[in-house]
């Protein structure tokens, strides 16, 4: 290791700091997973390995109902958000001499720029003013809005990275506009579309602030329900649910990240 | 692309954002100047009471008394957001720089590892820290074991809140910083050494200036969501240390003062937009400086 | 011309904001012709090609295919196909699917498509790769598939947008021959865009030299090279010496110019409408050194010498004018001319040309 310090690009301590950083980054996740297999009712007292908390979590009707709400909202919001993001991205990247391009792009990305608590308050007041009572509809509308930019970004990136040549070649080969889209544009942006939809889904599933603000009977999402459990105190069952959520998130994230990396490599 | 599609393609996005965002925010602005009614309701009107309430309370005889309580909350919000941003920045620079020195494959893996926890549900991430920092939690026991001394408890301290906030948003700092550090030409550092500069000269006069666009972008990306953060103060701060996000939340929950909650929300919105505008102007000034 | 022209460009202009890409362009491309649009980048040649294909619309003017206007029909209704600069092969389709794509859109029967695809892949010697994806191909192979795909629907005109620019030097030469062969075999009108004059001279039946958004000259390769109509063409195609001078006598296509070299030359002219300032263009290889046989001679001093293998280039100063001269090294041990030598310069007036300012 005598050579380590001779490389002028190395800085002493950076390696250790990075190592500690990554440990710190994964410590909480590891802790939750570890304790989810704890036999003891007390979270911090380890008495043996058990999967009973998973069983009890899966039997918890309120929990399952919250999961159902979350999944329903996430699926519908993802479909809407991805569709809206797709048509917006098509126009914003492909239309020539478009007016209001900058403004439109900002509008699509607006939920990313503003604090979520403000947006949550805003939709809450709106829905109460127009008398929209249905909890699911309220959630779907709000989630669609803040999921749209997350679906939009990878789709737009993909469209921007795809030269117009391919679509022109298709038109040149007698493909009508819809055929061009179906047979060339869509298959070529599929990874971006998929990544966008997955991101939107994860964002919707994870949301707490807006869902909590709009929380009403029959429309309690999983994060909001978990929050109420946390308020009652930490339990191993909570760890089991969290572990399942972590696993789901990490799998989806890995798919999205790998897809993005592969797409970038192909272009690069 | 047909004219019809150029138009109709953008209609859904505009309609969605107008309906669920732009119009609602205008309504919030209207509610913030409405009069508070009985039982948490409000009546439309133009009344600046809610904004006045940020600085003054009404005394027994209706006179206004300066009350810094809410000003303290605003100050605390700014302080925590700035603190979390600073800590993220100090961590992100060495970590990003170290990652940038690795092989192409290793870089990919490490960047993936930085982003991965970010995908885990916010509530789960905050909850995890609750376990670690909680009573008789991992942190306390580690201190007892290695340090040999008892600590009074980490939870509900500023440290716990900062830990949670940094943990929540640090990937947003690392990614842009890494992006700018990674582009750094190694020859520049060699040139700095060649010209008799030490490692720290290279850091201060070569690496830092070249990484500054990333540091600036990362700071904005961390600072802005920290201003509106809700979960960390509620769970890790124990709800006692109010921040603007939780204050708003309370006005629409238990306290039921919608006009006041709306006023705070407008203030928070103004602060965020202010930061974004300042940043945009700085970026613009930078651009025009570079241009011939 | 009795035959119907394949493409007619009629008074076409194209404006991008304040920038004029094309300025009143007018010409006709004949049936079965290998026609080249040649010019430096930004001269408007690609814009013109894209307008023929239907990707851009003219700001003014009309484009006709076989005598009928196509300005109003979109790209996918024009019986014109394009070979793109970067081939634009669909990466998610096999080579066979790429070639079949146009036929499917034209509504060909399944069996016919298969026969045609096989035939096309055979024609470009790529039959054994039918099931591969484009990213498994080399540049030359992609080029062949792009050609097969564009020729498969039997277009009336084939447009080629700098198709050889992405290939390496060796491959480029063989692809030139291949393109000529395909053009002759299919009898389809080729419109070829390039900035490479050698390519253009080698392959084309006729060349349109474009510059500053206008057609500068149209003609066969030797006409373009030997009889340039203006300074732009003489300068852009090959190398030349411009000698400033004064036209003293003008008689239709011939004129007499008094050059800076101090000699008077009478030869063909272009663009001179009245006696006055003009230039004499004479190409480096048309100037002899040390030879007494030429009609116009002058003494000069060699100031630089660049040995290029097949040729040697000299710069010779004569009467305050600097001239580029190139000499073929026909003998392995030819007489060497060194820097500082005094030489006799000579050229035949018929090899020079007087051009308007």
């Amino acid at each position: 290791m005598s050579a380590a310090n001779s490389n002028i690009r190395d800085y002493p301590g950076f390696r250790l700091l990075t190592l500690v950083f990554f440990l710190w980054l994964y410590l909480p996740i590891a802790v939750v997973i570890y304790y989810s297999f704890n036999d003891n009712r007390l979270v911090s007292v380890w008495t043996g390995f058990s999967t009973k908390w998973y069983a009890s979590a899966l039997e918890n009707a309120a929990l399952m109902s919250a999961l159902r709400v979350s999944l329903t909202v996430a699926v519908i919001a993802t479909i809407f958000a991805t569709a809206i993001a797709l048509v917006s991205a098509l126009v914003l990247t492909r239309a020539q001499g478009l007016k209001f391009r900058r403004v439109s792009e900002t509008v699509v990305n607006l939920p990313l720029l503003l604090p979520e608590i403000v947006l949550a308050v805003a939709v809450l007041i709106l829905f109460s003013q127009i008398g929209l009572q249905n909890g699911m509809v309220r959630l779907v509308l709000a989630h669609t809005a803040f999921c749209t930019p997350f679906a939009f970004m990878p789709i737009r990136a993909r469209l921007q990275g795809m030269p117009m040549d391919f679509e022109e070649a298709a038109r040149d080969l007698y493909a009508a506009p819809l055929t061009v889209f179906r047979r060339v544009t869509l298959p070529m942006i599929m990874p971006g579309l998929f990544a966008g939809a997955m991101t939107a889904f994860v964002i919707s599933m994870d949301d707490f602030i807006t869902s909590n603000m709009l929380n009403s009977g029959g429309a309690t999402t999983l994060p909001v329900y978990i929050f109420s459990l946390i308020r009652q105190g930490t339990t191993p069952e909570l760890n089991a649910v969290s572990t399942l959520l972590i696993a789901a998130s990490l799998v989806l994230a890995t798919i999205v990240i790998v897809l993005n990396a592969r797409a970038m490599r192909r272009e690069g | 692309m047909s004219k019809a599609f150029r138009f109709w393609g953008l209609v859904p996005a505009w309609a969605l954002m107008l309906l669920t965002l732009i119009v609602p925010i205008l309504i919030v602005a209207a509610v913030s100047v409405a009069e508070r009614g009985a039982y948490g309701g409000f009546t439309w009107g133009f009344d600046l009471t809610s904004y006045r309430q940020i600085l003054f309370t009404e005394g027994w005889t209706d006179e206004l008394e300066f009350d810094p309580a809410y000003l303290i909350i605003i100050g605390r919000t700014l302080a925590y957001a700035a603190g979390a941003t600073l800590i993220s920045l100090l961590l992100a620079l060495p970590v990003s720089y170290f990652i940038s020195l690795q092989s192409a494959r290793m870089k990919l893996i490490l960047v993936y590892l930085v982003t991965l926890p970010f995908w885990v549900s916010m509530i789960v991430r905050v909850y995890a820290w609750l376990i670690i920092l909680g009573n008789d939690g991992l942190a306390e026991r580690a201190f007892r074991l290695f340090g040999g001394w008892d600590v009074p408890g980490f939870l509900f301290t500023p440290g716990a809140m900062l830990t949670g906030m940094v943990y929540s948003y640090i990937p947003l700092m690392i990614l842009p910083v890494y992006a700018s550090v990674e582009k750094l030409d190694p020859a520049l550092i060699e040139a700095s050494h060649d010209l008799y500069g030490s490692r720290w000269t290279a850091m201060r006069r070569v690496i830092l200036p070249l990484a500054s666009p990333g540091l600036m972008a990362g700071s904005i990306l961390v600072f802005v969501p920290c201003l509106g953060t809700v979960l960390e103060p509620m769970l890790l701060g124990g709800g006692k240390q109010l921040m603007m996000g939780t204050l708003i939340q309370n006005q629409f929950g238990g306290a039921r003062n919608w006009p006041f909650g709306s006023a705070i929300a407008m203030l928070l919105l103004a602060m965020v937009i202010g930061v974004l505008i300042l940043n945009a102007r700085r970026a613009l000034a930078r651009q025009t400086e570079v241009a011939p | 011309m009795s035959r119907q022209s394949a493409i007619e460009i009629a008074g076409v202009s194209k404006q991008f904001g304040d920038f004029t890409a094309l300025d009143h362009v007018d010409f006709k491309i004949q049936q079965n012709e290998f026609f080249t649009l040649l010019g430096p980048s930004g001269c408007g040649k690609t814009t013109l090609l894209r307008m023929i294909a239907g990707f851009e619309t003219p700001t003014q003017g009309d484009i006709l295919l076989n005598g009928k206007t196509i300005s109003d029909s979109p790209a996918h209704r024009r019986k014109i196909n394009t070979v793109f600069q970067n081939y634009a092969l669909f990466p998610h389709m096999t080579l066979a699917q790429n070639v079949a794509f146009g036929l499917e859109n034209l509504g060909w029967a399944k069996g016919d498509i298969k026969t045609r695809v096989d035939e096309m892949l055979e024609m470009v010697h790529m039959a054994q790769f039918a099931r591969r994806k484009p990213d498994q191909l080399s540049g030359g192979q992609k080029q062949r598939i792009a050609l097969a795909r564009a020729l498969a629907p039997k277009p009336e005109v084939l447009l080629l947008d700098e198709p050889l620019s992405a290939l390496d030097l060796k491959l480029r030469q063989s692809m030139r021959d291949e393109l000529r062969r395909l053009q002759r075999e299919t009898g389809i009108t080729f419109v070829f865009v390039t900035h490479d004059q050698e390519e253009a001279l080698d392959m084309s039946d006729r060349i349109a030299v474009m510059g500053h958004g206008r057609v500068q000259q149209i003609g066969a390769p030797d006409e373009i090279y030997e009889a340039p109509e203006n300074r732009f063409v003489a300068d852009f195609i090959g190398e030349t010496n411009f000698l400033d001078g004064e036209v003293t006598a003008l008689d239709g296509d011939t004129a007499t110019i008094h050059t800076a070299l101090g000699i008077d030359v009478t030869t063909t002219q272009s663009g001179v409408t009245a006696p006055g300032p003009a230039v004499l263009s004479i190409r480096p290889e048309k100037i002899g050194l040390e030879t007494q046989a030429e009609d116009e001679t002058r003494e000069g001093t060699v100031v630089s010498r660049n040995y290029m293998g097949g040729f040697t280039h000299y710069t010779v100063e004569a009467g305050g004018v600097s001239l580029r001269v190139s000499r073929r090294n026909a003998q392995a041990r030819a007489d060497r001319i060194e820097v500082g030598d005094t030489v006799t310069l000579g050229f035949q007036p018929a090899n020079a040309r007087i051009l308007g300012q």
Side-chain angles (χ1 to χ4, degrees), chain C residues 135-335:
Chain C
D135 58 4
Q136 296 166 288
L137 300 185
S138 71
Q141 289 171 325
K142 282 184 190 165
Q143 176 69 261
R144 288 164 202 276
I145 295 300
L147 270 166
R149 182 178 74 173
L151 286 170
K154 303 180 180 166
E156 279 156 20
V157 173
L158 184 76
L159 308 177
L160 302 105
D161 186 8
E162 308 233 6
L164 306 181
S165 61
L167 302 178
D168 61 53
L169 203 68
K170 279 240 166 91
L171 207 53
R172 234 180 276 174
Q173 184 55 52
S174 69
M175 279 311 294
R176 280 188 202 168
D177 301 339
E178 179 101 3
L179 279 176
R180 285 286 337 189
R181 175 180 72 84
L182 285 172
Q183 199 264 330
R184 249 179 267 116
E185 278 176 16
T186 57
I188 290 172
T189 309
F190 276 32
V191 181
F192 184 88
V193 159
T194 184
H195 64 272
D196 184 328
Q197 42 171 306
E198 205 182 292
E199 240 166 62
L201 295 171
D202 180 15
M203 291 195 284
S204 320
D205 294 323
R206 281 197 308 152
I207 299 170
V209 181
M210 297 189 61
H212 313 303
R214 290 166 181 272
V215 172
Q216 302 286 345
Q217 184 172 356
I218 295 185
D222 59 333
E223 283 170 24
I224 298 278
Y225 186 79
E226 303 293 355
E229 280 171 10
N230 58 36
R231 255 191 105 131
F232 181 89
V233 177
D235 196 26
F236 182 70
I237 310 287
E239 256 194 274
T240 195
N241 294 293
F242 286 123
L243 296 175
D244 291 330
E246 195 84 14
V247 169
T248 50
L250 182 63
D251 177 20
D253 281 347
T254 56
T256 305
I257 188 167
H258 183 74
T259 67
L261 268 180
I263 47 179
D264 286 359
V265 181
T266 303
T267 184
T268 51
Q269 68 88 8
S270 173
V272 181
T273 48
V279 289
L280 184 73
S281 163
I282 174 88
R283 300 213 179 263
E285 77 278 5
K286 303 280 195 309
I287 302 176
L289 294 179
E290 288 186 313
T291 40
Q292 308 299 320
E294 313 283 359
D295 296 327
E296 301 293 345
T297 59
R298 188 83 167 72
E299 277 204 341
T301 312
V302 176
V303 292
S304 80
R305 172 175 174 277
N306 301 88
Y307 177 73
M308 313 295 288
F311 284 85
T312 304
H313 297 313
Y314 302 93
T315 309
V316 181
E317 276 211 7
V321 179
S322 162
L323 285 173
R324 304 255 298 150
V325 180
S326 79
R327 230 158 74 110
R328 200 159 70 89
N329 297 323
Q331 307 296 326
R333 295 246 166 259
D335 295 330

Side-chain angles (χ1 to χ4, degrees), chain A residues 52-127:
Chain A
K52 68 179 179 192
W53 302 112
Y54 286 88
S56 91
L58 295 176
E59 278 162 18
N60 182 335
L63 189 72
M64 286 298 117
S65 136
L67 176 64
R68 245 191 318 278
V69 170
S70 270
L71 283 173
T72 312
V73 170
V75 167
I76 301 175
T78 298
I79 293 171
F80 284 153
T82 310
I84 292 169
L86 175 63
V87 286
S88 312
L90 277 172
V91 176
L92 289 172
T93 57
R94 290 299 189 258
Q96 284 165 11
L98 188 72
K99 281 177 196 156
F100 308 116
R101 189 191 301 271
R102 289 284 293 271
V103 185
S104 297
E105 233 163 87
T106 310
V107 162
V108 175
N109 283 320
L110 214 47
L112 279 182
L113 302 171
L114 307 178
E116 192 188 347
I117 183 74
V118 175
L119 305 182
V121 165
V123 284
L124 174 69
I125 297 181
L126 174 86
F127 291 156

Side-chain angles (χ1 to χ4, degrees), chain C residues 1 5 14 55 129 183 233 245 309:
Chain C
M1 204 67 70
S5 51
K14 179 69 181 178
F55 303 137
F129 300 124
Q183 199 264 330
V233 177

Side-chain angles (χ1 to χ4, degrees), chain B residues 161-175:
Chain B
M161 268 168 73
L162 281 175
T163 304
M165 286 164 77
V166 171
Y167 189 77
S168 293
Y169 299 114
I170 197 165
L172 295 177
M173 177 71 85
I174 292 187
L175 292 182

Side-chain angles (χ1 to χ4, degrees), chain B residues 24-292:
Chain B
I25 286 175
L26 294 177
I27 298 178
V28 174
V31 172
S32 75
V33 293
E35 276 174 66
R36 186 184 181 191
Y39 312 113
F42 60 88
T43 46
W44 297 113
F46 187 80
D47 180 3
L48 291 173
T49 308
S50 298
Y51 289 97
R52 205 180 56 204
Q53 199 181 336
I54 296 172
L55 289 176
F56 301 101
T57 47
E58 277 177 36
W60 292 106
T61 52
D62 280 358
E63 82 278 12
L64 292 176
E65 277 173 28
F66 176 71
D67 180 352
Y70 293 122
L71 219 51
I72 288 171
I73 293 175
I74 294 166
R76 181 186 296 138
T77 305
L78 284 169
Y80 273 112
T85 306
L86 189 68
I87 295 169
S88 304
L89 199 140
L90 291 177
L91 272 171
L93 187 67
V95 169
S96 313
Y97 181 76
F98 182 79
I99 295 175
S100 78
L101 294 184
Q102 308 308 307
S103 69
R105 195 183 156 72
M106 198 61 189
K107 276 194 241 184
L108 216 65
I109 293 172
L110 290 178
V111 170
Y112 163 75
L113 286 178
V114 168
T115 44
L116 199 56
F118 201 56
W119 289 77
V120 173
S121 183
M122 179 80 94
I123 187 103
V124 172
R125 282 184 285 164
V126 174
Y127 167 66
W129 280 107
L130 202 66
I131 301 179
I132 295 172
L133 301 174
N135 272 339
D136 203 26
L138 207 64
E140 285 185 19
R141 274 192 278 164
F143 266 86
R144 227 175 291 145
L145 198 64
F146 298 110
W149 85 93
D150 264 320
V151 272
F154 291 99
L155 217 49
F156 312 149
T157 62
M161 268 168 73
L162 281 175
T163 304
M165 286 164 77
V166 171
Y167 189 77
S168 293
Y169 299 114
I170 197 165
L172 295 177
M173 177 71 85
I174 292 187
L175 292 182
V177 173
Y178 169 74
S180 54
V181 174
E182 209 261 332
K183 281 186 297 199
L184 202 136
D185 184 351
L188 294 177
I189 296 168
E190 283 162 12
S192 159
H193 282 257
D194 187 56
L195 297 164
Y196 320 109
S198 70
R199 270 198 175 76
W200 297 106
T201 313
M203 175 57 73
R204 206 163 41 82
R205 300 199 50 190
V206 180
I207 300 174
L208 260 179
L210 289 168
S212 72
L215 290 169
M216 207 54 221
S219 299
I220 299 289
L221 287 175
V222 172
F223 187 72
V224 166
C226 278
L227 283 179
T229 190
V230 170
L231 270 176
E232 290 85 355
M234 269 203 293
L235 292 177
L236 300 173
K240 301 282 181 285
Q241 299 241 344
L242 276 182
M243 285 176 60
M244 287 176 84
T246 38
L247 180 62
I248 296 169
Q249 175 115 331
N250 289 349
Q251 301 311 310
F252 287 87
R256 283 195 74 78
N257 185 346
W258 285 22
F260 183 60
S262 299
I264 299 290
M266 291 314 287
L267 185 63
L268 177 59
L269 189 67
M271 282 160 63
V272 167
I273 291 176
V275 171
L276 293 179
I277 288 176
L278 276 181
N279 180 50
R281 283 178 60 177
R282 194 192 49 83
L284 206 71
R286 206 187 169 89
Q287 261 179 9
T288 41
E289 244 173 58
V290 173

